[in-house]
């Protein structure tokens, strides 16, 4: 029976799938509280808890790669529901730290240190509030099945009190100490930074070859340095003990050019014979090697750079100068005195502040440190119990732990962050800590105690420094499981199921969380860690605001829809690897969803035949597609098991578009409309619905909007978003028919092409797909003969 003779009566009235429908669905989910985290009494092993990365609203545009990352985190949550878990999917907002301070300074054209502290904090909060709402809008528009009603903010009094409580507990365990030692310092940020916050870049710089004369002698040696501005802080010159050029000079005295101070030539294996002249000046501090050598050789530090990034009084006539200015003036003076042998331009690997991209300096400062060096072996051992997706990114963590040489400096000289809860006795200077539980601001509040615990003095001075922002971020798995507030809940859902995050913060967020949670709970914080790569532009370059290649996700989502964005993200991204961000590919994803919508409109014409009333025997064509469905389902489930959404996305598109729609539906259309053979028709309708239900269930984690709407319209219930839906099963009873696919595809394609190439004797135009054609059915397709004849209107020769 020809389809043209049938009157269609689709359950779906909208002719096209659009983002307008998505917005209506979001409101429906909100109204029905579909994804709220409601406490249940399920057993421990039925919970799936996500330690969701709190996004940082430090200004627009937000990275399209970040939006892709969060859409895939939502896929993780939906796969867990597909497996029958009660999912706890919290949403937080990270609102502490240097980025918001920098953004506030730019927005209001002010400087933090020139602004009254309370006023600056107020402006920071306004800045965050302005951008946070848009971040939440993006996350909701992406269809995140998270609990937005219980959103947390890391700058809230409750969260900051939590951070302070963990610090007080670690202090009481003897894990924190105050130390004055050389540390990384960012001049632009105005604070100490940890090694994990340093990046490296090759920067063009001058390598200056300077003559150092021996004491009371016209003889000199040449020392090459990239830091001539630190000449005045030089305390030794080292040469390699195996360097024949300096064998006779070891132990002799040199005069420092310009400053005429004397230093010794000492031998040390760290001097590279092949760099510069092979002789190295050791200053306080040019780099971390200088720090190590000062300790090892017992040298006396000379403070060279102050907190404002200027040379100190020890620089004499070059004091109070910015580093670049001091460098230029000292080089000029050296050249004037004939002390420069030559200058080379080299590419120098330079440590930079991760946030400001400013070269770091090493300055001795008093800071609080959290012990980590002595805990390295424990961290390495405990980390073995964490499953990594993909496994290759475990190495990032291991490399970082093995590279640690100093404890973690956790105090910062900034304003917007969680305050260190300490008051100092004005008499004995001893630190006094309060009881945990409240949020304390020592710089602005009197202490919650009357007497110093050491000397009974009643006068105190509050700490002005704040914590490194990772001190807040590293306790998210404890905060979301109610570590201090509800031990019953904590014991039921900790360790949490998974930490999803980017590979760029393995050495910070993942590592610091592991460190802190092991200290506080003696257990790893999560069972698994899912690590995503970078979103790169179409040229393969990492996106950054400075390069101007960042794509704002919100206009893209509004233009093509969240499901298209999400499907692109899944189909483009192999878990753990970098992925290209392309609007053209998002548009291609939209076309697939349009195809799916049209398939759904067609299928919705027919009554539902399910397992309760399936026919006794299925037709061969139906068995064949069910064999392909089983193969596709297994691929999808294997991909979901590894949380690699690239696999199910591409398997679903290939099956749905190129097999199910292009061949199967065309082969059974006549049977679907043929009321004369009830069993054959039931076989087609049972199969087409089984396939489509499975497609929708398997696609739901990736594209939840269109699957929800099609399911609701065709199958008239909300099961697809409930936690009672069943994961599709793999039925292998017809797997022998998978080999027929290549023959079916080949035959159908040949017939279609033959009709295009054959002119009609009536119209003198190429045959239409409905026109009859004479041909033979190949022997290997004999099982499908009846459906193929009806499909192509074949006259068997």
């Amino acid at each position: 029976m020809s389809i043209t003779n049938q009157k269609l009566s689709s359950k779906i009235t909208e002719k096209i799938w659009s983002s307008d429908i998505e917005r209506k669905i979001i409101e429906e989910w909100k109204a029905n509280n579909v994804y709220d985290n409601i406490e249940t009494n399920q057993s421990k092993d039925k919970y799936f808890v996500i330690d969701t990365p709190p996004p940082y609203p430090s200004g627009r545009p937000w990275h399209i790669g970040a939006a892709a990352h969060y859409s895939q985190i939502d896929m993780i949550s939906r796969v867990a529901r597909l497996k029958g878990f009660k999912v706890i999917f919290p949403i937080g907002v990270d609102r502490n730290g240097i980025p918001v301070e920098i953004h506030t300074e730019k927005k209001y054209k002010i400087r933090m240190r020139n602004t009254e502290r309370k006023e600056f904090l107020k402006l920071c909060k306004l800045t965050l509030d302005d951008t946070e709402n848009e971040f939440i809008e993006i996350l909701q528009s992406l269809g995140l099945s998270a609990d937005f009603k219980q959103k947390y903010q890391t700058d809230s009094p409750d969260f900051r009190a939590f951070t302070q409580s963990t610090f007080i507990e670690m202090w009481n365990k003897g894990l924190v100490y105050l130390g004055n030692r050389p540390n990384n310092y960012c001049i632009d940020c105005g604070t100490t930074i940890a090694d994990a916050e340093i990046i490296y870049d090759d920067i063009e710089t001058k390598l200056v070859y300077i003559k150092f004369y021996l004491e009371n002698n016209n003889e000199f040696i040449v020392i090459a340095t990239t830091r001539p501005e630190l000449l005045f802080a030089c305390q030794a010159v080292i040469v390699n003990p195996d360097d024949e050029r300096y064998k006779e000079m070891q132990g002799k005295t040199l005069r420092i050019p310009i400053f005429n101070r004397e230093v010794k030539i000492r031998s040390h294996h760290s001097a590279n014979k092949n760099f510069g002249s092979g002789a190295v000046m050791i200053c306080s501090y040019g780099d971390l090697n200088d720090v190590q050598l000062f300790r090892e050789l017992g040298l006396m530090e000379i403070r060279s750079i102050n907190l404002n990034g200027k040379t100190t009084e020890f620089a004499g006539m070059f004091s109070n100068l910015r580093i670049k200015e001091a460098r230029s003036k000292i080089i000029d003076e050296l050249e004037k005195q004939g002390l420069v042998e030559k200058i080379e331009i080299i590419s120098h690997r330079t440590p930079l502040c991760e946030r400001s991209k400013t070269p770091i300096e090493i300055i001795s400062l008093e800071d609080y440190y959290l012990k980590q060096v002595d805990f390295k072996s424990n961290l390495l051992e405990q980390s073995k119990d964490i499953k990594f997706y993909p496994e290759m990114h475990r190495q990032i963590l291991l490399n970082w732990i093995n590279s640690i040489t100093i404890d973690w400096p956790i105090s910062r000289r900034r304003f917007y962050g969680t305050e260190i809860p300490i008051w100092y006795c004005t008499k004995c200077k001893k630190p006094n800590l309060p009881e945990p539980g409240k949020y304390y601001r020592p710089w602005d509040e009197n202490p919650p105690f009357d007497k110093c615990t050491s000397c009974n003095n009643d006068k105190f001075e509050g700490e002005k420094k704040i914590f490194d922002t990772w001190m807040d971020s590293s306790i998210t798995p404890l905060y979301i499981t109610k570590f201090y507030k509800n031990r019953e809940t904590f014991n039921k859902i900790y360790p949490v199921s998974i930490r999803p995050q980017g590979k760029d913060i393995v050495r910070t967020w993942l590592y610091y969380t592991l460190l802190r949670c092991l200290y506080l709970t003696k257990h790893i914080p999560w069972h698994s860690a899912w690590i995503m790569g970078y979103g790169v532009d179409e040229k393969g370059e990492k996106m950054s605001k400075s390069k101007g290649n960042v794509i704002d996700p919100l206009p893209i989502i509004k233009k093509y829809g969240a499901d298209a964005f999400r499907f692109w993200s899944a189909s483009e991204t192999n878990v753990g690897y970098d992925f290209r961000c392309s609007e053209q590919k998002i548009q291609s994803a939209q076309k697939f969803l349009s195809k799916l919508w049209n398939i759904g409109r067609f299928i919705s014409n027919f009554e539902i035949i399910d397992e309760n009333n399936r026919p006794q025997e299925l037709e061969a064509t139906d068995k064949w597609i069910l064999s392909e469905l089983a193969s596709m389902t297994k691929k999808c489930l294997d991909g979901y098991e590894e949380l690699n959404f690239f696999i199910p996305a591409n398997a679903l598109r290939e099956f749905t578009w190129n097999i199910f729609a292009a061949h199967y539906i065309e082969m059974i259309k006549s049977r679907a409309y043929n009321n004369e053979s009830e069993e054959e028709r039931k076989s087609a309708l049972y199969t087409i619905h089984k396939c489509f239900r499975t497609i929708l269930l398997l696609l739901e984690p990736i594209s939840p909007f269109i699957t929800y709407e099609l399911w609701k319209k065709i199958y008239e219930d909300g099961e697809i978003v409930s936690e009672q839906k069943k994961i599709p099963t793999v039925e292998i009873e017809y797997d022998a028919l998978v080999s027929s696919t290549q023959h079916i595809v080949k035959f159908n394609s040949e017939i279609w092409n033959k009709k295009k190439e054959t002119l009609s004797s009536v119209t003198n135009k190429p045959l239409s797909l409905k026109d009859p054609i004479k041909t033979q059915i190949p022997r290997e397709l004999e099982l499908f003969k009846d459906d193929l004849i009806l499909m192509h209107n074949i006259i068997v020769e």
Side-chain angles (χ1 to χ4, degrees):
M1 183 176 292
S2 171
I3 188 172
T4 55
N5 296 329
Q6 297 299 308
K7 182 176 177 62
L8 301 180
S9 179
S10 174
K11 295 178 183 178
I12 301 171
T13 56
E14 298 91 342
K15 292 186 177 180
I16 60 171
W17 172 253
S18 73
S19 57
D20 291 338
I21 304 174
E22 291 179 347
R23 285 189 282 274
K24 292 177 183 176
I25 292 171
I26 289 173
E27 293 307 313
E28 185 177 330
W29 287 347
K30 285 182 183 177
N32 295 329
N33 301 316
V34 171
Y35 296 116
D36 288 359
N37 286 342
I38 301 171
E39 291 293 334
T40 67
N41 294 318
Q42 297 194 54
S43 61
K44 182 181 178 70
D45 61 354
K46 293 304 292 181
Y47 282 98
F48 190 92
V49 186
I50 303 173
D51 185 16
T52 319
Y56 200 105
S58 60
R60 291 193 65 204
W62 202 32
H63 199 310
I64 189 175
H69 186 182
Y70 280 88
S71 70
Q72 291 206 17
I73 294 173
D74 183 62
M75 295 174 203
I76 293 172
S77 76
R78 291 177 183 274
V79 168
R81 290 190 189 90
L82 198 61
K83 293 180 177 181
F85 287 102
K86 166 66 180 175
V87 174
I88 298 179
F89 186 5
I91 287 293
V93 184
D94 188 1
R95 291 168 52 108
N96 287 320
I98 293 173
V100 68
E101 294 175 331
I102 294 173
H103 188 64
T104 300
E105 287 180 322
K106 290 179 180 177
K107 180 176 181 179
Y108 293 101
K109 296 179 174 58
I110 58 175
R111 295 293 293 175
M112 183 188 77
R113 303 202 184 279
N114 297 330
T115 307
E116 196 272 327
R117 185 163 183 167
K118 285 186 178 180
E119 179 62 21
F120 188 78
L121 296 180
K122 178 182 176 182
L123 294 176
C124 284
K125 188 177 185 307
L126 290 173
T127 300
L128 289 164
D129 291 344
D130 288 343
T131 53
E132 179 183 312
N133 291 336
E134 186 170 294
F135 273 60
I136 296 300
E137 180 190 351
I138 293 173
L139 295 178
Q140 289 181 324
S141 70
L142 282 169
L144 261 69
S145 54
D147 186 3
F148 287 94
K149 288 184 178 178
Q150 296 188 49
K151 176 189 71 177
Y152 68 85
Q153 298 169 313
T154 61
D155 65 345
S156 68
D158 184 65
F159 198 100
R160 286 186 171 174
F162 194 90
T163 299
Q164 290 178 338
S165 294
T166 63
F167 170 77
I168 294 167
E169 182 173 340
M170 290 192 301
W171 176 283
N172 292 335
K173 289 180 177 181
L175 299 171
V176 180
Y177 64 90
L178 185 64
N180 192 320
R181 58 178 59 178
N183 219 321
N184 307 310
Y185 187 83
C186 175
I187 291 164
D188 279 354
C189 296
T191 190
T192 305
I193 61 173
D195 287 347
E197 298 170 281
I198 294 174
I199 59 174
Y200 290 86
D201 195 12
D202 292 325
I203 296 177
E204 193 176 88
T205 190
K206 291 179 179 180
L207 181 63
V208 185
Y209 289 74
I210 305 171
K211 298 175 183 177
F212 279 62
Y213 280 85
L214 272 72
E215 182 186 14
N216 302 321
N217 198 326
N218 289 328
E219 191 179 358
F220 64 84
I221 66 172
V222 175
I223 296 175
T225 179
T226 59
R227 300 297 304 267
E229 70 276 12
L230 298 182
L231 265 176
F232 67 93
C234 177
Q235 288 288 58
V237 170
I238 63 168
V239 294
N240 195 292
D242 299 326
D243 195 333
E244 293 296 332
R245 294 170 294 179
Y246 303 111
K247 281 285 188 184
E248 302 301 321
M249 292 188 178
Q250 295 176 23
K252 291 187 177 181
T253 301
L254 291 174
R255 288 199 314 273
I256 298 175
I258 301 175
F259 300 95
N260 293 314
R261 192 163 48 77
E262 296 176 352
V263 294
K264 290 282 188 182
I265 301 175
R266 306 174 73 160
S267 65
H268 199 276
H269 60 83
S270 67
N272 185 349
K273 295 186 292 183
N274 301 315
F275 179 78
S277 66
V280 183
M281 69 173 190
I282 307 303
C283 307
S284 52
Y285 294 101
D287 57 25
L288 290 174
N289 188 55
D290 285 347
V291 175
Q292 183 175 334
L293 286 168
F294 261 72
R295 291 174 185 158
E296 188 175 331
L297 301 176
L299 302 176
M300 185 69 69
E301 173 187 306
I302 295 176
R303 193 165 51 90
S304 57
I305 307 295
N306 65 24
L307 298 183
N308 295 318
K310 293 185 178 183
T311 51
T312 64
E313 66 275 14
F314 298 104
M317 60 187 285
F318 302 100
S319 63
N320 203 35
L321 297 178
R322 292 281 179 188
I323 293 168
K324 287 184 178 180
E325 186 182 5
R327 183 178 304 161
S328 177
K329 289 194 173 185
I330 285 179
I331 291 174
D332 287 346
E333 183 63 26
L334 287 168
E335 289 182 319
K336 190 185 299 182
Q337 295 186 22
L339 297 172
V340 175
E341 183 176 83
K342 64 178 179 177
I343 297 176
E344 294 177 347
I345 304 300
I346 65 168
S347 180
H348 182 58
R349 189 168 184 262
T350 306
L352 307 175
C353 171
E354 189 175 37
R355 294 184 175 93
S356 68
K357 307 301 185 287
T358 303
I360 67 158
E361 296 298 330
I362 299 175
I363 300 175
S364 284
L365 294 168
E366 192 172 64
D367 278 300
Y368 280 102
Y369 290 82
L370 178 62
K371 294 179 182 180
Q372 60 179 359
V373 175
D374 295 340
F375 201 57
K376 285 169 59 174
S377 60
N378 198 337
L379 288 163
L380 291 169
E381 185 62 30
Q382 295 276 4
S383 67
K384 293 177 182 177
D385 293 332
I386 303 170
K387 178 177 174 58
F388 273 76
Y389 299 94
E391 175 61 27
M392 67 180 183
H393 285 330
R394 179 190 302 276
Q395 198 60 42
I396 302 176
L397 175 64
L398 299 183
N399 289 347
W400 175 248
I401 294 174
N402 284 318
S403 74
I404 292 169
T405 57
I406 63 170
D407 291 329
W408 175 19
I410 58 174
S411 51
R412 299 290 181 266
R413 291 160 178 79
R414 301 293 296 186
F415 286 176
Y416 205 85
T418 301
E419 291 85 351
I420 298 175
I422 290 177
W423 281 264
Y424 301 96
C425 174
T426 58
K427 183 178 178 182
C428 69
K429 309 301 180 186
K430 292 290 181 66
N432 286 252
L433 277 70
E435 290 296 316
K438 288 186 175 183
Y439 171 41
Y440 302 103
R441 303 206 303 173
W443 60 273
D444 190 46
E445 298 174 358
N446 292 323
F449 40 76
D450 299 324
K451 301 288 184 181
C452 171
T453 55
S454 295
C455 69
N456 285 328
N457 179 44
D458 61 358
K459 298 290 190 298
F460 298 91
E461 182 179 348
E463 174 62 76
K464 295 180 175 61
K465 292 192 286 292
I466 62 172
F467 286 123
D468 176 4
T469 187
W470 295 113
M471 281 288 286
D472 295 289
S473 305
S474 60
I475 55 170
T476 52
L478 300 178
Y479 186 80
I480 64 176
T481 56
K482 306 184 186 305
F483 177 55
Y484 286 127
K485 291 190 173 181
N486 188 324
R487 278 288 166 164
E488 183 181 353
T489 298
F490 173 77
N491 291 333
K492 182 176 286 189
I493 61 178
Y494 183 91
V496 305
S497 307
I498 196 165
R499 154 66 68 83
Q501 64 164 75
K503 67 180 181 181
D504 55 327
I505 51 174
V506 168
R507 62 180 188 168
T508 49
W509 192 35
L510 189 145
Y511 166 73
Y512 287 138
T513 306
L514 179 62
L515 174 70
R516 296 251 278 135
C517 289
L518 283 174
Y519 272 151
L520 292 163
T521 71
K522 294 184 171 58
H523 296 285
I524 57 172
W526 346 263
H527 296 295
S528 57
W530 183 88
I531 312 296
M532 194 173 189
Y534 299 129
V536 298
D537 65 15
E538 292 185 351
K539 296 178 182 177
E541 295 183 5
K542 186 180 176 182
M543 290 187 174
S544 69
K545 293 178 183 179
S546 60
K547 289 182 181 178
N549 62 349
V550 171
I551 301 174
D552 187 345
L554 196 54
I556 297 287
I557 295 167
K558 288 180 177 178
K559 182 177 181 180
Y560 297 105
D563 269 354
F565 182 91
R566 291 170 62 112
F567 190 86
W568 155 77
S569 166
S571 62
E572 187 69 16
T573 313
N574 219 328
V575 64
Y577 290 87
D578 297 348
F579 56 98
R580 293 180 187 257
C581 299
S582 163
E583 185 173 345
Q584 184 179 0
K585 291 190 175 183
I586 297 173
Q587 188 177 23
S588 174
Q590 185 190 46
K591 290 178 181 177
F592 167 67
L593 297 181
S594 296
K595 182 70 174 178
L596 182 71
W597 187 254
N598 289 334
I599 294 170
R601 293 186 75 239
F602 168 72
I603 290 175
S604 73
N605 285 282
F606 304 104
E607 68 270 27
I608 298 170
I609 307 294
D610 57 23
E611 298 293 340
N612 296 321
N613 57 349
R614 64 174 287 178
Q616 290 288 329
E617 183 64 28
L618 298 178
E619 297 298 310
T621 303
D622 304 325
K623 292 178 180 179
W624 160 69
I625 198 64
L626 289 177
S627 71
E628 277 291 336
L629 181 72
S631 176
M632 183 273 295
T633 299
K634 185 176 187 311
K635 287 179 186 175
C636 290
L637 296 182
D638 288 347
Y640 281 142
E641 191 63 31
E642 288 303 311
L643 300 181
N644 187 351
F645 307 110
F646 176 86
I647 296 171
N650 287 288
L652 280 160
R653 176 163 52 191
E654 174 63 22
F655 173 82
T656 304
W657 198 325
N658 295 329
I659 303 296
F660 182 63
H663 296 279
Y664 175 73
I665 288 179
E666 296 303 320
M667 288 173 71
I668 57 89
K669 271 184 179 177
S670 294
R671 270 197 292 130
Y673 285 111
N674 186 358
N675 291 316
E676 296 175 7
S677 177
E678 183 179 352
E679 284 301 298
E680 290 182 2
R681 183 170 184 271
K682 282 180 68 175
S683 178
L685 297 189
Y686 164 78
T687 305
I688 202 170
H689 279 294
K690 181 171 182 62
C691 287
F692 201 60
R693 278 179 182 267
T694 303
I695 289 169
L696 295 182
L697 279 170
L698 289 172
L699 184 60
E700 190 272 341
I702 296 171
S703 298
F705 293 105
I706 194 169
T707 51
Y708 171 78
E709 192 69 7
L710 286 170
W711 189 282
K712 186 178 70 171
K713 290 287 178 65
I714 298 173
Y715 303 115
E716 299 176 348
D717 64 48
E719 180 191 346
I720 200 163
V721 296
S722 76
E723 291 172 354
Q724 279 71 50
K725 63 176 177 286
K726 299 292 189 294
I727 192 167
T729 55
V730 179
E731 298 175 6
I732 59 172
E733 56 183 311
Y734 309 122
D735 60 330
L737 291 173
V738 171
S739 60
S740 301
T741 303
Q742 58 181 322
H743 303 300
I744 291 172
V745 171
K746 180 183 177 184
F747 178 76
N748 287 339
S749 299
E750 287 174 350
I751 298 297
W752 288 327
N753 288 332
K754 189 174 181 180
K755 285 189 175 185
K756 289 179 184 177
E757 295 165 358
T758 304
L759 295 179
S760 168
S761 59
V762 178
T763 63
N764 203 33
K765 294 180 179 179
L767 294 177
S768 73
L769 296 180
K770 297 175 184 177
D771 287 332
I773 190 170
K774 292 183 178 181
T775 192
Q776 292 285 338
I777 304 294
R779 185 181 60 181
E780 59 268 19
L781 296 179
E782 188 66 28
L783 283 172
F784 316 107
K785 179 178 179 179
D786 293 343
D787 283 336
L788 291 172
I789 289 173
L790 290 171
M791 172 186 178
H792 294 296
N793 200 358
I794 292 173
I795 300 172
V796 180
E797 293 181 326

